[in-house]
Amino acid sequence: MTHSAIPELTQIEELIEAGGSRLETRRLAEIDAGAGGRFPLYSIAFGNPDPAVPAIGFFGGVHGLERIGADVVIAYLRHLIMRLRWDGILHRQLESVRLVFMPLVNPGGMWLGTRANPNGVDLMRNAPLEAQTSVPPLLGGQRISARLPWYRGRRDEAMELENRALCETVKTELLSRNFSIALDCHSGFGLKDRIWFPYAHTRTPLPHLAEIHALDEVLRQTHGSHPYIIEPQSLQYLAHGDIWDYLHLRACQAEGRIFLPLTLEMGSWLWVKKNPRQLFSRHGIFNPQIAHRQQRVLRRHLPLLDFLSRAACSQHLWIPDAEARADHHARAMAKWYP
């Protein structure tokens, strides 16, 4: 099927066909965007389904305006599917890890050209979770009106269909295991690429701070010149209803389970700085508008996604033991919570 208004969805379906029986594809829901627009919501998984092995999930397109997030996830999915045809090393790696993809969480918002979903709800403010202290007006989430940005939805109503599908996928594929990582790809903040970790609803450090610091250290040792600022999201702003905070708190209910949700926040202001005309385009604020820059962004982040897949697969080699964990925690506190 060709989705002329959403080429990303067409690409996903072409990759599903190319992957064939190697992939486990689920059609999670059909999103009604109004005015005759109805779009499928897919999850794609491959690798070892045994709950004893670790897993990693890649998510994109949570905000409909941020097409580049979906594009990065789709580019990595294509990279892996093409390698499945000839790469024996990848096949051996997949014996020890589960890979899960939801490349386009908000197809209705992408079709409409809005940050929110077709109901006007910002999916990253929609979880039933309140910030512990005051949040920035509007930006931190509001229930005044869907006509204003960062609308959370009505109080005491169920989460939006897209978020329910995302949560069910995370629960089934990631939280069913003792170790998992999630990477959610976004754009629209700052001049630098950032990797955020929870929390957004509180400035209190998350229980797995030592593991985050160990992962940060392995990344620096492996890719010493990487471009990312790694930090808790709370260093920038607090918000209500963060879906990854909500899922991390659910994961912590099981003793011994480690779930590390990360957000890649691509610094789209740099693209505007290089091409100021983008400032006058709603999509230009969030996405590179020049073809060669789009390709450069996709190449730039591929090593990160591949690193995280390998880190999940080999987590037993870098997760700190009890003594090292205390040291990692102390250094993380000094670095991120001085």
Side-chain angles (χ1 to χ4, degrees):
M1 180 177 180
T2 299
H3 304 276
S4 58
I6 311 181
E8 287 83 356
L9 194 50
T10 300
Q11 293 173 40
I12 292 168
E13 293 181 340
E14 289 172 350
L15 289 173
I16 289 171
E17 183 176 356
S21 61
R22 301 182 183 95
L23 310 180
E24 299 171 38
T25 302
R26 294 181 61 200
R27 187 169 174 142
L28 302 171
E30 187 170 90
I31 305 302
D32 185 354
R38 300 186 67 87
F39 305 102
L41 182 56
Y42 291 110
S43 72
I44 302 162
F46 50 102
N48 194 336
D50 186 347
V53 307
I56 180 166
F58 297 97
F59 303 83
V62 171
H63 291 138
L65 279 173
E66 300 170 18
R67 308 188 82 113
I68 190 63
D71 292 341
V72 166
V73 176
I74 291 168
Y76 185 53
L77 178 60
R78 178 182 294 108
H79 169 78
L80 292 172
I81 288 175
M82 296 302 108
R83 285 173 58 197
L84 283 174
R85 299 175 176 180
W86 58 267
D87 191 343
I89 294 176
L90 175 60
H91 281 273
R92 289 195 291 274
Q93 179 184 342
L94 290 174
E95 294 173 3
S96 303
V97 70
R98 179 76 161 171
L99 303 182
V100 182
F101 290 80
M102 283 186 69
L104 181 49
V105 176
N106 183 11
M110 189 170 286
W111 185 63
L112 294 169
T114 61
R115 173 185 173 92
N117 76 347
N119 294 329
V121 175
D122 187 326
L123 298 178
M124 286 303 296
R125 303 290 187 272
N126 183 230
L129 182 65
E130 304 297 317
Q132 294 184 1
T133 56
S134 60
V135 303
L138 295 184
L139 172 64
Q142 53 85 17
R143 296 194 190 276
I144 301 169
S145 170
R147 295 179 181 272
L148 297 173
W150 303 295
Y151 179 58
R152 301 183 60 194
R154 294 181 180 177
R155 190 180 303 276
D156 299 326
E157 284 193 351
M159 284 190 287
E160 295 295 298
L161 177 58
E162 298 91 340
N163 267 345
R164 296 199 303 272
L166 185 154
C167 288
E168 183 60 30
T169 299
V170 170
K171 176 184 174 183
T172 302
E173 293 283 6
L174 304 185
L175 302 191
S176 59
R177 302 159 191 274
N178 287 333
F179 182 88
S180 60
I181 298 174
L183 182 72
D184 185 15
C185 296
H186 289 256
S187 63
F189 184 89
L191 292 166
K192 299 283 188 178
D193 294 331
R194 286 173 159 81
I195 299 174
W196 281 340
F197 58 86
Y199 290 119
H201 77 287
T202 176
R203 292 188 173 88
T204 302
L206 79 169
H208 298 130
L209 186 63
E211 287 77 13
I212 291 286
H213 187 269
L215 182 62
D216 173 36
E217 191 168 83
V218 172
L219 177 59
R220 283 190 292 106
Q221 292 169 349
T222 309
H223 300 280
S225 58
H226 76 72
Y228 304 104
I229 297 173
I230 301 175
E231 62 185 7
Q233 184 177 337
S234 60
L235 281 183
Q236 298 300 329
Y237 61 87
L238 296 180
H240 299 298
D242 186 276
I243 193 68
W244 296 111
D245 283 17
Y246 171 75
L247 288 166
H248 185 264
L249 292 172
R250 287 191 63 176
C252 289
Q253 294 173 5
E255 186 176 355
R257 178 184 294 155
I258 299 174
F259 173 52
L260 306 180
L262 308 172
T263 297
L264 170 59
E265 188 70 38
M266 287 172 267
S268 63
W269 298 357
L270 180 62
W271 309 327
V272 175
K273 181 180 178 181
K274 291 182 176 181
N275 182 23
R277 288 176 297 178
Q278 292 190 196
L279 190 61
F280 302 100
S281 163
R282 183 168 52 173
H283 283 89
I285 298 173
F286 299 95
N287 306 280
Q289 299 290 283
I290 300 174
H292 75 83
R293 193 161 292 142
Q294 168 91 4
Q295 292 303 313
R296 187 182 303 157
V297 170
L298 298 182
R299 292 194 301 269
R300 176 185 181 92
H301 299 296
L302 189 63
L304 172 67
L305 276 63
D306 200 50
F307 164 81
L308 291 173
S309 294
R310 292 168 180 263
C313 179
S314 305
Q315 49 86 25
H316 60 286
L317 296 176
W318 59 267
I319 288 291
D321 58 21
E323 183 176 348
R325 195 173 189 278
D327 176 64
H328 276 288
H329 182 84
R331 288 192 284 148
M333 290 296 294
K335 179 175 182 177
W336 291 311
Y337 302 91

